Amino acid sequence: MRFEIPEQKQLVHTLTLPIRWGDMDVMGHVNNTIYFRYMEIIRLEWLRETGVPANTAGLGPVIVNAFCNFQIELKYPGEVLARLYTTDVGRTSFDTYTLLSRTDDPDTIYASGGSRVVWVDFPRRKSAPLPDRLRELLTQHADSN
């Protein structure tokens, strides 16, 4: 089963990540779990840069589902070019999509994935409205297209 990446999405962040020797598995390519790690790194780096990082004693993001379409294996050595997109902003949630390429082959998608992010009040264990600053950024990107 392949999940589709929507056409209507807003690029919010790009990041270059090294492919480490330890990311490889016995098959000679990056292990499937590492692709999810790459997507996690760019998502958390973007949230940190927005000024709305997770606060486990208060409010923060929780991933309620995630997927990855593996198209071409990534191999060491090299660098991953990760592009993070957002869409479908709701009261307490939004969707993210990540396209993974190599810096030496930026036009080829090696993997694509996504997740639904829900903002949560951790002490209460309930969803919470997105912070105003984050909502502003998410809708600003949507309005600019």
Side-chain angles (χ1 to χ4, degrees), residues 9 42 66 68 72 87 95 103:
K9 58 191 179 304
I42 190 171
C68 187
I72 303 170
T87 188
D95 291 341
T103 57

Side-chain angles (χ1 to χ4, degrees), residues 115-126:
S115 62
R116 167 64 52 104
V117 179
V118 175
W119 210 255
V120 171
D121 180 325
F122 292 113
R124 293 181 52 217
R125 300 180 55 96
K126 294 189 178 223

Side-chain angles (χ1 to χ4, degrees), residues 21 50 104 134 136 139:
W21 176 256
T50 65
D104 58 358
L134 182 57
E136 221 174 85
T139 55

Side-chain angles (χ1 to χ4, degrees), residues 4-16:
E4 297 299 319
I5 306 296
E7 289 291 324
Q8 296 297 109
K9 58 191 179 304
Q10 316 311 316
L11 178 64
V12 294
H13 196 61
T14 60
L15 185 66
T16 301

Side-chain angles (χ1 to χ4, degrees), residues 87-95 116-117 128-130 135 138-139:
T87 188
D88 294 333
V89 180
R91 187 179 76 78
T92 64
S93 66
F94 59 96
D95 291 341
R116 167 64 52 104
V117 179
L130 294 171
R135 175 175 300 290
L138 291 166
T139 55

